[in-house]
Every structure is written in structure tokens, then in C-alpha cells.
Amino acid sequence: MNGRELLGEVWRNLRSGTSRAALFGLSFAAIVGSLAVADARAVVALHQRAAEFVAAGASVRVLSVAANVDGNACDALEGVPGVASSGALAEDGTLLLAAMPDNRLPAYRVTPGMAAVLGVRAESASGVWVSSRTAETLRAGPGQVVETDAGPVTLAGVFDYPDDGRDSRLGYAVLVPEPAAGVFDQCWADVRPPTDGADELLRWAVRPGAAPGLSVTQGQLNSTLGAAFDGSAEFAERPTRFALPAAALAGLVLGFVSVRLRRLELAGALHVGVARGSLLAGAVLETAVWALAGLVPALCSLVVAAHLGNPADPWDAVMVDARGPAAAALAALAGAAVAVSLVRERHLFRYFKDR
């Protein structure tokens, strides 16, 4: 059987429904697509939990040493692997805002690194930072000037600081950024992912020459979501981690069954002299058609599932789970090839009786 005859036979089998391409293509899309979508949603859920953990400030570790934190050393922790941002702060009395004459707000000196820790949205290079709740109370935004008992100050930046269980001191406070060259009370470091050595790392921010018996306390800015969130471990232990081998197995079974159901036809072809290689090539081509037809909707479903509600890069989830449908398509071809190899001409009459 030459190439043209082979392709013609494949086309006739597909057009007539002999190969059951529609049935197996839909089955492939449903089974393999469901497995990929299930794992993608599990990965998205991990991204959501990680984003919630970080947004709540649970990834921020706080070292407290009154008047003994080196601002430069604290800010420099940001360059250490695993530390997303770091900054120091110190109490600096109170400030009375003209718009809030009945309440003096606590003031804090902070290093520039605290902008990244708090997610400050800054519009000006100089001025003060306040939480979004304070800005709403003042009915002011970044770049505006507010009157205080110390004179007019520019509202340089605003940061979100919800009441979600974190240390509430900065919820209604004025932060005054200044150069890191100085001594502060606390060092905050956003550690991602959390490590056992995070607290030991923070101790490098203690001022050189500090008294040996100095009281040093360390803790979590917000402990309501647990002490740590280990995304790598959660990913490795997710319930849907077997979706890829399951998809490959499903593809293998579908490919095998699609050809096994036609064993009488194949044995008859062998009986009249068709070469097994031609049968193998035809079966693989027909299987490739319905496998690719099922692969397209499976991948489309995966892309949609990876994007919905994903706070991280959705293509990371797509790259993880696209391997399942791809492996299933290749396994379907292998299954078809195995089924053809198991067909025997001498079993023709047995196949006929079992049809």
C-alpha cells in the first residue's frame, strides 16, 4: 500500500465513522481535559492562598530591639535570597492633623525600604505616608498637602493596612521616611518563602556593639493564617499531582481500545495480504486525528481554568498542566500501535465469533 492509498484509506475510515474518531475525540477531550483542569484549579488555589498569606502581612517577620536596629543593615537584607523586602521603623512621638484635631496620631520614622514592605503607593519623593483608611478620613490623596501642628506636610504615599489580625499600630499612624543611616526600634522583613533561618537572618540587623544581654524579640506581623505557608511543599503534596500520569494512562487506554474494537477488520486485512506496517501506519494516523481534535478543547479548557481567579502568572499553571494532555496524545498513539501489534491473522475466526 503506497502513501496515497494509505491516506485515502485513512480518510475513508474517518469520513465513514469506521474509526469512531468523533467518539474517541470527545472522550479524550472530556477525560484528559477534566484532569488538566482539576490540577490547574488546584494550582490556582495554591496561588490564591499564597497571595492571601502575603497580602495579610503573614510573610513579614518583625525583629524588635529598642533603639538598637541598624537601619542600613535592615534595608540591606532585601538583597539576601529569600527576602523580598525589608525596612526599619522607630517611634517618633505623635502628630496632630488639622483635619483630625481630637486625635493625635502616632508618628514613626521609617527607612526607604519600608515602602516595599508596606506596598506604599508614592506620588512624591518627600513627605509622609499614611494608611488608606487614614487617607479616606482626611479625604486626601497622594501629593496633597495636609496641615499639622508641626506645619504643612505633603502626603507622599498611601498604603493598604487592613484590620485583619496584623499589628494594628500603623493602621492610623503617620510614617516619616528618612535615610537608613540611623538607629531604629524594629526591622521588618518580608520573607518568601518562609525558612527556618529567617529569624537568625534578621539578627544581622541588630546594631553592632549592642549589649550582649539586650532583649531581642522576634515574631510574625500577622499570625492569623498560620506560622508559615510553604508553597513548594503544598504543590508537591497537592491531591491532583497524579493528573499527568492519569492523563497519559487515559490516552493509552483510549488509543488501545479504539484499535482493539476493530481487530476483526484488521485481521481480515492481514488475511488478504495487507502489510502489518501499513495497518500500523493507518491506525496511528487515524488515532492522531482524533487525539489532536480532542487535544485542542482540552488545552483551551486548561488555559481558561488557569486564568480564572489566578493572582499569579497563569501561564505558569498552563505550562505545568499542558504536559498531561500532550503526554495523553502521545500515549494514545502508543496504545494504538500496541493494539495493532497484538492483532493476529490466525485469530480471524475467533474475532468473527466474538464480534
Side-chain angles (χ1 to χ4, degrees):
M1 185 180 293
N2 59 38
R4 176 177 294 182
E5 292 173 341
L6 175 62
L7 293 176
E9 183 68 16
V10 169
W11 169 246
R12 285 189 292 272
N13 288 339
L14 292 171
R15 185 177 59 181
S16 65
T18 302
S19 61
R20 300 179 178 86
L23 171 63
F24 284 100
L26 289 174
S27 299
F28 184 96
I31 298 173
V32 175
S34 296
L35 289 169
V37 166
D39 193 47
R41 294 312 299 169
V43 173
V44 170
L46 289 177
H47 284 315
Q48 290 173 336
R49 288 177 55 197
E52 180 185 5
F53 192 83
V54 172
S59 59
V60 176
R61 303 293 299 175
V62 179
L63 175 140
S64 300
V65 194
N68 275 280
V69 169
D70 186 323
N72 281 324
C74 181
D75 272 21
L77 291 176
E78 182 177 354
V80 176
V83 179
S85 56
S86 59
L89 63 80
E91 294 185 11
D92 193 32
T94 60
L95 194 65
L96 182 65
L97 304 182
M100 302 172 64
D102 297 329
N103 295 290
R104 297 189 69 88
L105 301 182
Y108 293 89
R109 297 182 295 111
V110 296
T111 61
M114 282 296 290
V117 177
L118 296 173
V120 176
R121 302 181 293 277
E123 295 289 339
S124 174
S126 61
V128 299
W129 306 335
V130 299
S131 71
S132 54
R133 285 184 293 169
T134 304
E136 290 173 5
T137 302
L138 295 174
R139 296 181 180 178
Q144 292 184 251
V145 176
V146 295
E147 296 294 332
T148 73
D149 58 346
V153 297
T154 301
L155 188 59
V158 174
F159 57 92
D160 294 324
Y161 205 81
D163 184 12
D164 55 4
R166 71 182 71 195
D167 183 342
S168 61
R169 290 176 302 160
L170 303 189
Y172 286 99
V174 178
L175 307 186
V176 184
E178 64 176 40
V183 177
F184 297 82
D185 298 330
Q186 292 185 334
C187 178
W188 292 19
D190 189 356
V191 183
R192 308 181 203 172
T195 61
D196 294 336
D199 287 348
E200 191 65 31
L201 181 65
L202 270 175
R203 288 181 175 272
W204 285 96
V206 177
R207 180 179 61 85
L214 196 65
S215 175
V216 178
T217 60
Q218 292 177 272
Q220 193 177 6
L221 180 63
N222 187 349
S223 60
T224 57
L225 297 181
F229 176 76
D230 191 343
S232 298
E234 294 273 356
F235 178 81
E237 296 298 324
R238 69 194 188 283
T240 56
R241 62 187 181 277
F242 300 112
L244 192 155
L249 178 61
L252 182 69
V253 171
L254 288 172
F256 182 86
V257 171
S258 70
V259 174
R260 187 65 178 173
L261 291 175
R262 300 166 60 192
R263 61 190 181 277
L264 176 58
E265 171 195 339
L266 298 178
L270 289 173
H271 185 68
V272 298
V274 178
R276 186 177 293 274
S278 297
L279 292 181
L280 177 62
V284 169
L285 285 174
E286 292 171 26
T287 302
V289 170
W290 62 253
L292 290 176
L295 181 63
V296 172
L299 290 177
C300 289
S301 300
L302 169 60
V303 170
V304 173
H307 278 75
L308 290 178
N310 194 344
D313 185 354
W315 294 106
D316 289 342
V318 171
M319 294 304 294
V320 168
D321 289 305
R323 297 175 300 168
L330 294 175
L333 302 182
V338 170
V340 171
S341 68
L342 294 178
V343 173
R344 296 291 182 266
E345 178 188 351
R346 64 177 180 272
H347 294 159
L348 175 62
F349 293 106
R350 193 185 76 186
Y351 297 154
F352 180 78
K353 288 190 295 182
D354 293 342
R355 74 190 190 282

